[in-house]
Amino acid sequence: MSASRLKALTAGVVTLLLSACALRGWIGGGEAIRVTEAGRAQLCSAEDDTSRVHIFDSPAAVIDWQERTGIRLAEFKDLERGRYALIEMGQRHTGGYGLAVSREARIVGNTLRLVATFFSPKAGSMRTQMITSPCVLVHLTEGDYVGVEVYDQNGELRAASQGAR
């Protein structure tokens, strides 16, 4: 990838991340908390095009999932104690797709609401012909919540999960 293309891509990512952060109004109410990214991959375990979120109760549960799937998102020594959420975009048949999770989240009732930006290639653009399934692993701040919901940059619910794996 050329330096100018990388620079343009980086600027686009920053813009979209900021727009996701600006959406906090519609995710509304509740207690504001921070989440931090712990890992990411362009090829996760998705077998269809459905977006999903999975909750892990501990770093050991994350490591167990990584060993079962062969996908390395994080090293055990780098994982903080606490819960994690794996947000999967779903399987795509070309490159150019991506996912970024906002650091700002909200606890509303007993649900943690995350905001993610779902990237898609521009129509008619050149892209690699390979299956991708982007995913992001985030460390969840402790709080009084059970379920996790993931909303996209347009405010649409993309995935929801209750409980832990």
Side-chain angles (χ1 to χ4, degrees), residues 27-67:
I27 142 176
E31 174 189 353
I33 65 167
R34 307 281 286 175
V35 298
T36 54
E37 184 175 313
R40 67 176 40 251
Q42 274 301 106
L43 190 57
C44 215
S45 62
E47 295 180 2
D48 60 31
D49 64 356
T50 306
S51 298
R52 291 186 172 83
V53 59
H54 307 284
I55 303 170
F56 299 101
D57 268 343
S58 66
V62 173
I63 297 304
D64 179 59
W65 177 85
Q66 289 184 145
E67 289 174 0

Side-chain angles (χ1 to χ4, degrees), residues 116-140:
T117 301
F118 289 71
F119 299 97
S120 298
K122 291 181 182 178
S125 66
M126 290 183 55
R127 47 195 134 157
T128 58
Q129 296 299 308
M130 62 181 278
I131 292 178
T132 59
S133 56
C135 65
V136 176
L137 179 70
V138 294
H139 180 251
L140 304 175

Side-chain angles (χ1 to χ4, degrees), residues 13-23 117:
V13 168
V14 169
T15 301
L16 286 171
L17 286 174
L18 291 175
S19 69
C21 291
L23 293 173
T117 301

Side-chain angles (χ1 to χ4, degrees), residues 25-156:
W26 59 257
I27 142 176
E31 174 189 353
I33 65 167
R34 307 281 286 175
V35 298
T36 54
E37 184 175 313
R40 67 176 40 251
Q42 274 301 106
L43 190 57
C44 215
S45 62
E47 295 180 2
D48 60 31
D49 64 356
T50 306
S51 298
R52 291 186 172 83
V53 59
H54 307 284
I55 303 170
F56 299 101
D57 268 343
S58 66
V62 173
I63 297 304
D64 179 59
W65 177 85
Q66 289 184 145
E67 289 174 0
R68 283 185 286 119
T69 62
I71 299 164
R72 294 283 175 239
L73 298 173
E75 296 298 321
F76 191 78
K77 66 182 182 334
D78 297 330
L79 294 175
E80 296 179 44
R81 289 186 341 174
R83 292 186 277 184
Y84 287 82
L86 176 69
I87 298 93
E88 295 184 83
M89 184 177 209
Q91 191 178 88
R92 302 296 185 257
H93 296 285
T94 67
Y97 291 90
L99 184 61
V101 179
S102 174
R103 290 181 183 162
E104 184 174 317
R106 290 204 158 317
I107 299 174
V108 179
N110 66 350
T111 304
L112 175 63
R113 293 184 178 175
L114 300 173
V115 176
T117 301
F118 289 71
F119 299 97
S120 298
K122 291 181 182 178
S125 66
M126 290 183 55
R127 47 195 134 157
T128 58
Q129 296 299 308
M130 62 181 278
I131 292 178
T132 59
S133 56
C135 65
V136 176
L137 179 70
V138 294
H139 180 251
L140 304 175
T141 303
E142 290 301 319
D144 190 20
Y145 57 90
V146 177
V148 175
E149 296 176 340
V150 179
Y151 291 85
D152 68 15
Q153 64 269 29
N154 299 315
E156 294 181 36

